[in-house]
Amino acid sequence: MIASFSRLSLLWKILLSTSVAVTLLFALTGWIVLRNAVDTTTSAMEDEVGASLQAYQSLWKARAERLASVSLTLSQMSDVRSAFGTRDAATIFDTANELWKKLAIENADFLVTDAAGKVIASVGVMPVAEQDVRNAAARFPEQVSGFLVRGGRLYQTVFTPVYLENVPQNVLVAGYGVDSLVARQLKADTGGSEFLFVSGGQPIASSLTPEAARLVVSRLPSRPTLDPVRAGGIEYAARPTPLLDIAGKPIGDLWILRSFATAKERLAALRRNIILLWLLAVAASLGLTYLLARR
Protein backbone atom coordinates (compact mmCIF):
# COMPACT_ATOMS: atom_id res chain seq x y z
CA MET A 1 0.00 0.00 0.00
CA ILE A 2 2.92 2.30 0.82
CA ALA A 3 4.43 1.50 -2.58
CA SER A 4 1.15 2.37 -4.30
CA PHE A 5 0.98 5.65 -2.41
CA SER A 6 4.56 6.48 -3.39
CA ARG A 7 3.74 6.02 -7.07
CA LEU A 8 0.97 8.65 -6.89
CA SER A 9 1.59 12.11 -8.21
CA LEU A 10 2.39 14.88 -5.76
CA LEU A 11 -1.04 16.40 -6.31
CA TRP A 12 -2.86 13.24 -5.31
CA LYS A 13 -0.59 12.74 -2.33
CA ILE A 14 -1.49 16.22 -1.11
CA LEU A 15 -5.22 15.63 -1.71
CA LEU A 16 -5.25 12.29 0.12
CA SER A 17 -3.26 13.64 3.04
CA THR A 18 -5.58 16.62 3.34
CA SER A 19 -8.74 14.47 3.26
CA VAL A 20 -7.33 12.08 5.88
CA ALA A 21 -6.29 14.96 8.14
CA VAL A 22 -9.68 16.65 7.85
CA THR A 23 -11.49 13.35 8.45
CA LEU A 24 -9.47 12.58 11.58
CA LEU A 25 -9.99 16.09 12.89
CA PHE A 26 -13.75 15.94 12.39
CA ALA A 27 -13.95 12.40 13.77
CA LEU A 28 -12.24 13.48 16.98
CA THR A 29 -14.27 16.67 17.24
CA GLY A 30 -17.53 14.84 16.49
CA TRP A 31 -16.81 12.16 19.09
CA ILE A 32 -16.13 14.79 21.75
CA VAL A 33 -19.27 16.77 20.84
CA LEU A 34 -21.51 13.68 20.78
CA ARG A 35 -20.05 12.35 24.01
CA ASN A 36 -20.71 15.63 25.77
CA ALA A 37 -24.21 15.80 24.25
CA VAL A 38 -25.03 12.27 25.48
CA ASP A 39 -23.75 13.00 28.99
CA THR A 40 -25.66 16.29 29.11
CA THR A 41 -28.84 14.66 27.81
CA THR A 42 -28.63 11.78 30.30
CA SER A 43 -28.07 14.18 33.18
CA ALA A 44 -30.98 16.36 32.02
CA MET A 45 -33.31 13.36 31.77
CA GLU A 46 -32.39 12.22 35.28
CA ASP A 47 -33.01 15.74 36.57
CA GLU A 48 -36.42 15.78 34.87
CA VAL A 49 -37.33 12.45 36.46
CA GLY A 50 -36.21 13.77 39.84
CA ALA A 51 -38.29 16.92 39.36
CA SER A 52 -41.30 14.79 38.39
CA LEU A 53 -40.83 12.73 41.56
CA GLN A 54 -40.81 15.87 43.68
CA ALA A 55 -43.92 17.16 41.90
CA TYR A 56 -45.68 13.83 42.51
CA GLN A 57 -44.74 13.83 46.20
CA SER A 58 -46.00 17.39 46.62
CA LEU A 59 -49.27 16.61 44.84
CA TRP A 60 -49.82 13.38 46.76
CA LYS A 61 -49.08 15.07 50.06
CA ALA A 62 -51.57 17.84 49.23
CA ARG A 63 -54.23 15.25 48.32
CA ALA A 64 -53.67 13.34 51.57
CA GLU A 65 -53.74 16.54 53.63
CA ARG A 66 -56.99 17.59 51.98
CA LEU A 67 -58.61 14.23 52.69
CA ALA A 68 -57.37 14.37 56.27
CA SER A 69 -58.58 17.95 56.76
CA VAL A 70 -62.08 17.28 55.45
CA SER A 71 -62.36 14.03 57.42
CA LEU A 72 -61.20 15.70 60.63
CA THR A 73 -63.66 18.55 60.14
CA LEU A 74 -66.45 16.07 59.56
CA SER A 75 -65.55 14.01 62.63
CA GLN A 76 -65.71 17.08 64.86
CA MET A 77 -69.09 18.35 63.66
CA SER A 78 -71.78 18.27 66.32
CA ASP A 79 -74.34 16.82 63.89
CA VAL A 80 -72.03 13.93 63.08
CA ARG A 81 -71.16 13.22 66.70
CA SER A 82 -74.84 13.32 67.67
CA ALA A 83 -75.76 10.94 64.86
CA PHE A 84 -72.95 8.56 65.76
CA GLY A 85 -74.06 8.69 69.39
CA THR A 86 -77.41 7.18 68.43
CA ARG A 87 -75.61 4.11 67.05
CA ASP A 88 -78.43 3.86 64.54
CA ALA A 89 -77.07 2.85 61.10
CA ALA A 90 -79.74 4.72 59.14
CA THR A 91 -79.22 7.95 61.08
CA ILE A 92 -75.44 7.71 60.73
CA PHE A 93 -75.75 7.03 57.02
CA ASP A 94 -78.12 9.93 56.34
CA THR A 95 -76.11 12.44 58.36
CA ALA A 96 -72.67 11.41 57.07
CA ASN A 97 -73.88 11.18 53.48
CA GLU A 98 -75.47 14.64 53.56
CA LEU A 99 -72.46 16.36 55.13
CA TRP A 100 -69.93 14.57 52.92
CA LYS A 101 -71.75 15.79 49.82
CA LYS A 102 -71.53 19.35 51.12
CA LEU A 103 -67.80 18.95 51.77
CA ALA A 104 -67.32 16.73 48.73
CA ILE A 105 -63.86 16.38 47.23
CA GLU A 106 -63.83 15.68 43.53
CA ASN A 107 -63.33 11.98 42.68
CA ALA A 108 -63.04 11.01 46.37
CA ASP A 109 -64.90 8.13 48.04
CA PHE A 110 -66.08 8.08 51.64
CA LEU A 111 -67.41 5.54 54.09
CA VAL A 112 -68.20 5.12 57.78
CA THR A 113 -67.46 1.98 59.78
CA ASP A 114 -68.03 0.98 63.37
CA ALA A 115 -65.09 0.42 65.70
CA ALA A 116 -64.80 -3.19 64.52
CA GLY A 117 -64.57 -2.18 60.86
CA LYS A 118 -68.08 -3.04 59.71
CA VAL A 119 -69.23 -0.59 57.02
CA ILE A 120 -72.26 1.49 58.04
CA ALA A 121 -72.42 4.11 55.30
CA SER A 122 -70.64 4.36 51.97
CA VAL A 123 -70.39 7.03 49.28
CA GLY A 124 -68.51 5.59 46.31
CA VAL A 125 -67.09 2.18 45.53
CA MET A 126 -63.92 2.06 47.64
CA PRO A 127 -63.71 -1.39 49.26
CA VAL A 128 -62.28 -1.40 52.80
CA ALA A 129 -61.93 -4.60 54.81
CA GLU A 130 -62.47 -4.89 58.56
CA GLN A 131 -58.80 -5.83 58.89
CA ASP A 132 -57.83 -2.48 57.32
CA VAL A 133 -59.73 -0.63 60.05
CA ARG A 134 -58.17 -2.78 62.77
CA ASN A 135 -54.70 -2.11 61.34
CA ALA A 136 -55.39 1.62 61.35
CA ALA A 137 -56.82 1.45 64.89
CA ALA A 138 -53.39 0.44 66.19
CA ARG A 139 -52.25 4.00 65.48
CA PHE A 140 -55.32 5.87 66.72
CA PRO A 141 -56.03 8.57 67.94
CA GLU A 142 -53.86 9.90 65.11
CA GLN A 143 -55.22 9.97 61.59
CA VAL A 144 -53.72 7.19 59.50
CA SER A 145 -53.00 7.43 55.78
CA GLY A 146 -51.66 4.97 53.23
CA PHE A 147 -52.35 3.02 50.06
CA LEU A 148 -54.65 0.03 49.68
CA VAL A 149 -54.84 -2.48 46.83
CA ARG A 150 -58.23 -4.13 46.48
CA GLY A 151 -59.58 -6.06 43.52
CA GLY A 152 -56.68 -5.02 41.32
CA ARG A 153 -57.25 -1.32 42.05
CA LEU A 154 -55.15 1.12 44.06
CA TYR A 155 -56.55 3.60 46.59
CA GLN A 156 -55.00 6.42 48.58
CA THR A 157 -56.80 6.45 51.93
CA VAL A 158 -57.08 8.34 55.22
CA PHE A 159 -58.62 6.76 58.36
CA THR A 160 -60.05 9.16 60.97
CA PRO A 161 -61.40 7.94 64.33
CA VAL A 162 -64.51 9.49 65.89
CA TYR A 163 -64.34 9.42 69.68
CA LEU A 164 -67.40 9.57 71.94
CA GLU A 165 -66.67 9.71 75.66
CA ASN A 166 -63.00 8.93 74.96
CA VAL A 167 -63.94 5.71 73.17
CA PRO A 168 -63.41 5.21 69.40
CA GLN A 169 -67.01 4.79 68.30
CA ASN A 170 -66.71 5.01 64.51
CA VAL A 171 -64.11 5.44 61.80
CA LEU A 172 -64.33 7.74 58.78
CA VAL A 173 -62.47 6.44 55.75
CA ALA A 174 -61.85 8.79 52.80
CA GLY A 175 -59.86 7.95 49.70
CA TYR A 176 -59.04 8.48 46.06
CA GLY A 177 -58.99 5.78 43.43
CA VAL A 178 -55.68 5.75 41.56
CA ASP A 179 -56.32 4.79 37.93
CA SER A 180 -55.02 5.55 34.44
CA LEU A 181 -56.83 8.91 34.40
CA VAL A 182 -54.89 9.96 37.51
CA ALA A 183 -51.63 8.72 35.97
CA ARG A 184 -52.26 10.67 32.76
CA GLN A 185 -53.09 13.78 34.78
CA LEU A 186 -49.79 13.39 36.61
CA LYS A 187 -48.05 13.07 33.24
CA ALA A 188 -49.64 16.32 32.04
CA ASP A 189 -48.72 18.10 35.29
CA THR A 190 -45.07 17.05 35.07
CA GLY A 191 -44.42 17.87 31.43
CA GLY A 192 -44.47 14.39 29.92
CA SER A 193 -43.07 11.94 32.49
CA GLU A 194 -44.73 8.52 32.43
CA PHE A 195 -46.22 7.19 35.69
CA LEU A 196 -46.46 3.47 36.37
CA PHE A 197 -48.00 2.12 39.60
CA VAL A 198 -46.93 -1.48 40.23
CA SER A 199 -48.04 -3.93 42.92
CA GLY A 200 -47.44 -7.65 43.11
CA GLY A 201 -45.42 -7.53 39.90
CA GLN A 202 -48.42 -6.23 37.93
CA PRO A 203 -49.27 -2.75 36.60
CA ILE A 204 -52.14 -1.26 38.62
CA ALA A 205 -52.40 2.11 36.88
CA SER A 206 -50.28 3.78 34.24
CA SER A 207 -50.08 6.67 31.79
CA LEU A 208 -48.71 4.15 29.27
CA THR A 209 -50.89 1.92 27.15
CA PRO A 210 -51.77 -1.42 28.82
CA GLU A 211 -49.45 -3.32 26.45
CA ALA A 212 -46.56 -0.91 27.03
CA ALA A 213 -47.14 -0.97 30.79
CA ARG A 214 -46.96 -4.78 30.93
CA LEU A 215 -43.82 -4.77 28.79
CA VAL A 216 -42.10 -2.17 30.97
CA VAL A 217 -43.03 -4.05 34.16
CA SER A 218 -41.46 -7.21 32.73
CA ARG A 219 -38.20 -5.25 32.23
CA LEU A 220 -38.11 -3.53 35.61
CA PRO A 221 -35.19 -4.51 37.86
CA SER A 222 -35.92 -6.61 40.95
CA ARG A 223 -34.42 -3.88 43.12
CA PRO A 224 -34.85 -0.11 42.90
CA THR A 225 -32.11 1.35 40.71
CA LEU A 226 -31.32 4.48 38.73
CA ASP A 227 -30.15 2.52 35.66
CA PRO A 228 -32.10 3.10 32.42
CA VAL A 229 -34.97 0.71 31.64
CA ARG A 230 -35.27 -0.65 28.09
CA ALA A 231 -38.59 -1.99 26.82
CA GLY A 232 -40.15 -2.26 23.38
CA GLY A 233 -37.19 -0.57 21.72
CA ILE A 234 -37.56 2.49 23.99
CA GLU A 235 -35.12 3.48 26.69
CA TYR A 236 -36.38 5.25 29.81
CA ALA A 237 -34.72 7.14 32.60
CA ALA A 238 -36.48 5.62 35.61
CA ARG A 239 -36.81 6.28 39.30
CA PRO A 240 -38.97 4.32 41.78
CA THR A 241 -40.64 5.36 45.01
CA PRO A 242 -42.41 2.91 47.35
CA LEU A 243 -46.17 2.84 47.92
CA LEU A 244 -46.72 2.43 51.67
CA ASP A 245 -49.85 0.97 53.22
CA ILE A 246 -51.52 2.18 56.43
CA ALA A 247 -49.02 0.15 58.48
CA GLY A 248 -46.10 1.83 56.73
CA LYS A 249 -45.17 -1.30 54.78
CA PRO A 250 -44.48 -1.22 51.01
CA ILE A 251 -47.20 -2.78 48.89
CA GLY A 252 -45.71 -1.76 45.55
CA ASP A 253 -43.79 0.94 43.76
CA LEU A 254 -44.46 3.96 41.65
CA TRP A 255 -42.03 4.16 38.73
CA ILE A 256 -41.56 7.54 37.09
CA LEU A 257 -40.23 7.14 33.56
CA ARG A 258 -38.85 9.59 31.02
CA SER A 259 -38.37 8.40 27.44
CA PHE A 260 -35.04 8.99 25.69
CA ALA A 261 -36.79 8.86 22.29
CA THR A 262 -36.89 12.64 21.74
CA ALA A 263 -33.35 13.04 23.03
CA LYS A 264 -32.11 10.31 20.69
CA GLU A 265 -33.79 12.01 17.74
CA ARG A 266 -31.92 15.20 18.60
CA LEU A 267 -28.65 13.31 18.93
CA ALA A 268 -29.27 11.66 15.55
CA ALA A 269 -29.89 15.10 14.02
CA LEU A 270 -26.64 16.36 15.60
CA ARG A 271 -24.78 13.36 14.17
CA ARG A 272 -26.19 14.05 10.71
CA ASN A 273 -25.16 17.70 10.96
CA ILE A 274 -21.60 16.71 11.93
CA ILE A 275 -21.39 14.35 8.93
CA LEU A 276 -22.74 17.05 6.64
CA LEU A 277 -20.20 19.55 7.95
CA TRP A 278 -17.46 16.96 7.48
CA LEU A 279 -18.45 16.45 3.84
CA LEU A 280 -18.53 20.18 3.23
CA ALA A 281 -15.17 20.66 4.98
CA VAL A 282 -13.55 17.84 3.00
CA ALA A 283 -14.91 19.21 -0.28
CA ALA A 284 -13.79 22.76 0.53
CA SER A 285 -10.36 21.70 1.74
CA LEU A 286 -9.78 19.42 -1.26
CA GLY A 287 -10.89 22.15 -3.64
CA LEU A 288 -8.63 24.74 -2.03
CA THR A 289 -5.74 22.30 -1.84
CA TYR A 290 -6.16 21.37 -5.50
CA LEU A 291 -6.09 25.00 -6.61
CA LEU A 292 -3.03 25.80 -4.51
CA ALA A 293 -1.20 22.65 -5.60
CA ARG A 294 -1.88 23.35 -9.29
CA ARG A 295 -0.45 26.85 -8.93
Short mmCIF file of all heavy atoms in Angstrom, two decimals, residues 36-66:
data_model
loop_
_atom_site.label_atom_id
_atom_site.label_comp_id
_atom_site.label_asym_id
_atom_site.label_seq_id
_atom_site.Cartn_x
_atom_site.Cartn_y
_atom_site.Cartn_z
N ASN A 36 -20.21 14.60 24.86
CA ASN A 36 -20.71 15.63 25.77
C ASN A 36 -22.23 15.78 25.67
O ASN A 36 -22.92 15.99 26.69
CB ASN A 36 -20.05 16.97 25.48
CG ASN A 36 -18.59 17.00 25.91
OD1 ASN A 36 -18.17 16.23 26.77
ND2 ASN A 36 -17.80 17.88 25.30
N ALA A 37 -22.76 15.68 24.44
CA ALA A 37 -24.21 15.80 24.25
C ALA A 37 -24.94 14.65 24.94
O ALA A 37 -25.99 14.85 25.58
CB ALA A 37 -24.54 15.83 22.77
N VAL A 38 -24.41 13.42 24.83
CA VAL A 38 -25.03 12.27 25.48
C VAL A 38 -25.00 12.42 26.99
O VAL A 38 -26.01 12.18 27.68
CB VAL A 38 -24.32 10.97 25.06
CG1 VAL A 38 -24.79 9.79 25.91
CG2 VAL A 38 -24.58 10.67 23.59
N ASP A 39 -23.85 12.83 27.53
CA ASP A 39 -23.75 13.00 28.99
C ASP A 39 -24.70 14.09 29.48
O ASP A 39 -25.37 13.93 30.51
CB ASP A 39 -22.31 13.37 29.37
CG ASP A 39 -21.34 12.21 29.16
OD1 ASP A 39 -21.82 11.06 29.04
OD2 ASP A 39 -20.12 12.46 29.09
N THR A 40 -24.77 15.20 28.72
CA THR A 40 -25.66 16.29 29.11
C THR A 40 -27.11 15.86 29.04
O THR A 40 -27.92 16.18 29.92
CB THR A 40 -25.43 17.51 28.20
OG1 THR A 40 -24.07 17.93 28.31
CG2 THR A 40 -26.34 18.66 28.59
N THR A 41 -27.46 15.12 27.97
CA THR A 41 -28.84 14.66 27.81
C THR A 41 -29.23 13.69 28.92
O THR A 41 -30.33 13.78 29.50
CB THR A 41 -29.01 13.98 26.45
OG1 THR A 41 -28.72 14.92 25.41
CG2 THR A 41 -30.42 13.46 26.27
N THR A 42 -28.34 12.75 29.23
CA THR A 42 -28.63 11.78 30.30
C THR A 42 -28.82 12.48 31.63
O THR A 42 -29.76 12.18 32.38
CB THR A 42 -27.48 10.76 30.41
OG1 THR A 42 -27.33 10.09 29.15
CG2 THR A 42 -27.78 9.73 31.49
N SER A 43 -27.95 13.43 31.93
CA SER A 43 -28.07 14.18 33.18
C SER A 43 -29.37 14.97 33.22
O SER A 43 -30.07 15.02 34.25
CB SER A 43 -26.88 15.12 33.34
OG SER A 43 -26.98 15.89 34.51
N ALA A 44 -29.74 15.58 32.08
CA ALA A 44 -30.98 16.36 32.02
C ALA A 44 -32.20 15.47 32.22
O ALA A 44 -33.16 15.85 32.91
CB ALA A 44 -31.07 17.09 30.69
N MET A 45 -32.18 14.26 31.62
CA MET A 45 -33.31 13.36 31.77
C MET A 45 -33.45 12.91 33.22
O MET A 45 -34.57 12.83 33.76
CB MET A 45 -33.11 12.14 30.87
CG MET A 45 -33.10 12.46 29.38
SD MET A 45 -34.69 13.05 28.79
CE MET A 45 -35.64 11.56 28.84
N GLU A 46 -32.34 12.62 33.88
CA GLU A 46 -32.39 12.22 35.28
C GLU A 46 -32.91 13.36 36.15
O GLU A 46 -33.67 13.14 37.09
CB GLU A 46 -31.00 11.78 35.74
CG GLU A 46 -30.54 10.47 35.10
CD GLU A 46 -29.13 10.09 35.50
OE1 GLU A 46 -28.46 10.93 36.16
OE2 GLU A 46 -28.69 8.98 35.17
N ASP A 47 -32.50 14.58 35.82
CA ASP A 47 -33.01 15.74 36.57
C ASP A 47 -34.51 15.90 36.37
O ASP A 47 -35.24 16.25 37.32
CB ASP A 47 -32.28 17.02 36.12
CG ASP A 47 -30.83 17.05 36.57
OD1 ASP A 47 -30.48 16.27 37.48
OD2 ASP A 47 -30.05 17.83 36.01
N GLU A 48 -35.00 15.66 35.14
CA GLU A 48 -36.42 15.78 34.87
C GLU A 48 -37.22 14.72 35.63
O GLU A 48 -38.31 15.00 36.16
CB GLU A 48 -36.68 15.65 33.36
CG GLU A 48 -36.21 16.84 32.55
CD GLU A 48 -36.42 16.66 31.07
OE1 GLU A 48 -36.92 15.58 30.68
OE2 GLU A 48 -36.08 17.57 30.30
N VAL A 49 -36.67 13.51 35.70
CA VAL A 49 -37.33 12.45 36.46
C VAL A 49 -37.37 12.81 37.94
O VAL A 49 -38.38 12.63 38.63
CB VAL A 49 -36.63 11.09 36.25
CG1 VAL A 49 -37.18 10.05 37.21
CG2 VAL A 49 -36.81 10.63 34.81
N GLY A 50 -36.25 13.34 38.45
CA GLY A 50 -36.21 13.77 39.84
C GLY A 50 -37.21 14.88 40.12
O GLY A 50 -37.88 14.88 41.16
N ALA A 51 -37.32 15.83 39.19
CA ALA A 51 -38.29 16.92 39.36
C ALA A 51 -39.72 16.38 39.33
O ALA A 51 -40.59 16.84 40.08
CB ALA A 51 -38.09 17.97 38.26
N SER A 52 -39.97 15.39 38.45
CA SER A 52 -41.30 14.79 38.39
C SER A 52 -41.62 14.06 39.69
O SER A 52 -42.77 14.08 40.16
CB SER A 52 -41.37 13.81 37.21
OG SER A 52 -41.20 14.48 35.99
N LEU A 53 -40.62 13.41 40.28
CA LEU A 53 -40.83 12.73 41.56
C LEU A 53 -41.19 13.72 42.65
O LEU A 53 -42.10 13.48 43.45
CB LEU A 53 -39.57 11.94 41.94
CG LEU A 53 -39.60 11.23 43.30
CD1 LEU A 53 -40.76 10.24 43.36
CD2 LEU A 53 -38.28 10.54 43.57
N GLN A 54 -40.50 14.85 42.68
CA GLN A 54 -40.81 15.87 43.68
C GLN A 54 -42.21 16.45 43.46
O GLN A 54 -42.95 16.69 44.43
CB GLN A 54 -39.76 16.99 43.62
CG GLN A 54 -38.38 16.55 44.08
CD GLN A 54 -37.36 17.66 43.99
OE1 GLN A 54 -37.65 18.74 43.49
NE2 GLN A 54 -36.15 17.40 44.46
N ALA A 55 -42.58 16.65 42.19
CA ALA A 55 -43.92 17.16 41.90
C ALA A 55 -44.98 16.15 42.34
O ALA A 55 -46.02 16.53 42.90
CB ALA A 55 -44.05 17.45 40.41
N TYR A 56 -44.74 14.86 42.08
CA TYR A 56 -45.68 13.83 42.51
C TYR A 56 -45.82 13.83 44.03
O TYR A 56 -46.94 13.76 44.56
CB TYR A 56 -45.20 12.46 42.03
CG TYR A 56 -45.69 11.31 42.88
CD1 TYR A 56 -47.00 10.83 42.76
CD2 TYR A 56 -44.85 10.73 43.84
CE1 TYR A 56 -47.44 9.79 43.56
CE2 TYR A 56 -45.30 9.69 44.64
CZ TYR A 56 -46.59 9.22 44.49
OH TYR A 56 -47.04 8.21 45.29
N GLN A 57 -44.69 13.87 44.75
CA GLN A 57 -44.74 13.83 46.20
C GLN A 57 -45.49 15.03 46.77
O GLN A 57 -46.28 14.89 47.72
CB GLN A 57 -43.31 13.77 46.76
CG GLN A 57 -42.62 12.44 46.49
CD GLN A 57 -41.17 12.44 46.90
OE1 GLN A 57 -40.52 13.50 46.98
NE2 GLN A 57 -40.62 11.27 47.17
N SER A 58 -45.29 16.20 46.16
CA SER A 58 -46.00 17.39 46.62
C SER A 58 -47.50 17.26 46.37
O SER A 58 -48.33 17.59 47.24
CB SER A 58 -45.47 18.63 45.90
OG SER A 58 -44.11 18.84 46.21
N LEU A 59 -47.86 16.77 45.17
CA LEU A 59 -49.27 16.61 44.84
C LEU A 59 -49.93 15.57 45.74
O LEU A 59 -51.04 15.78 46.26
CB LEU A 59 -49.42 16.21 43.38
CG LEU A 59 -50.84 15.90 42.88
CD1 LEU A 59 -51.72 17.14 43.03
CD2 LEU A 59 -50.81 15.43 41.43
N TRP A 60 -49.25 14.45 45.96
CA TRP A 60 -49.82 13.38 46.76
C TRP A 60 -49.97 13.81 48.22
O TRP A 60 -50.94 13.47 48.89
CB TRP A 60 -48.96 12.12 46.65
CG TRP A 60 -49.74 10.93 46.23
CD1 TRP A 60 -49.92 9.77 46.92
CD2 TRP A 60 -50.48 10.77 45.01
NE1 TRP A 60 -50.71 8.90 46.21
CE2 TRP A 60 -51.06 9.49 45.03
CE3 TRP A 60 -50.69 11.58 43.89
CZ2 TRP A 60 -51.85 9.00 43.99
CZ3 TRP A 60 -51.46 11.10 42.86
CH2 TRP A 60 -52.03 9.83 42.92
N LYS A 61 -48.99 14.56 48.70
CA LYS A 61 -49.08 15.07 50.06
C LYS A 61 -50.27 16.03 50.20
O LYS A 61 -51.00 15.99 51.19
CB LYS A 61 -47.78 15.78 50.44
CG LYS A 61 -47.76 16.30 51.86
CD LYS A 61 -46.44 16.98 52.18
CE LYS A 61 -46.43 17.52 53.61
NZ LYS A 61 -45.14 18.20 53.92
N ALA A 62 -50.45 16.88 49.20
CA ALA A 62 -51.57 17.84 49.23
C ALA A 62 -52.90 17.09 49.20
O ALA A 62 -53.85 17.46 49.91
CB ALA A 62 -51.46 18.80 48.05
N ARG A 63 -52.99 16.03 48.38
CA ARG A 63 -54.23 15.25 48.32
C ARG A 63 -54.53 14.59 49.66
O ARG A 63 -55.66 14.60 50.16
CB ARG A 63 -54.12 14.19 47.22
CG ARG A 63 -54.23 14.75 45.81
CD ARG A 63 -53.69 13.75 44.79
NE ARG A 63 -54.41 12.51 44.79
CZ ARG A 63 -55.32 12.16 43.87
NH1 ARG A 63 -55.62 13.00 42.90
NH2 ARG A 63 -55.92 11.00 43.92
N ALA A 64 -53.49 14.01 50.28
CA ALA A 64 -53.67 13.34 51.57
C ALA A 64 -54.06 14.35 52.65
O ALA A 64 -54.93 14.07 53.48
CB ALA A 64 -52.39 12.61 51.97
N GLU A 65 -53.42 15.52 52.63
CA GLU A 65 -53.74 16.54 53.63
C GLU A 65 -55.18 17.04 53.45
O GLU A 65 -55.86 17.33 54.43
CB GLU A 65 -52.75 17.70 53.52
CG GLU A 65 -51.36 17.35 54.03
CD GLU A 65 -50.38 18.48 53.86
OE1 GLU A 65 -50.72 19.46 53.14
OE2 GLU A 65 -49.27 18.40 54.42
N ARG A 66 -55.63 17.13 52.21
CA ARG A 66 -56.99 17.59 51.98
C ARG A 66 -58.00 16.55 52.48
O ARG A 66 -58.99 16.89 53.13
CB ARG A 66 -57.21 17.87 50.50
CG ARG A 66 -58.55 18.54 50.21
CD ARG A 66 -58.72 18.84 48.76
NE ARG A 66 -59.99 19.51 48.51
CZ ARG A 66 -60.52 19.66 47.31
NH1 ARG A 66 -59.88 19.23 46.24
NH2 ARG A 66 -61.67 20.28 47.15
#
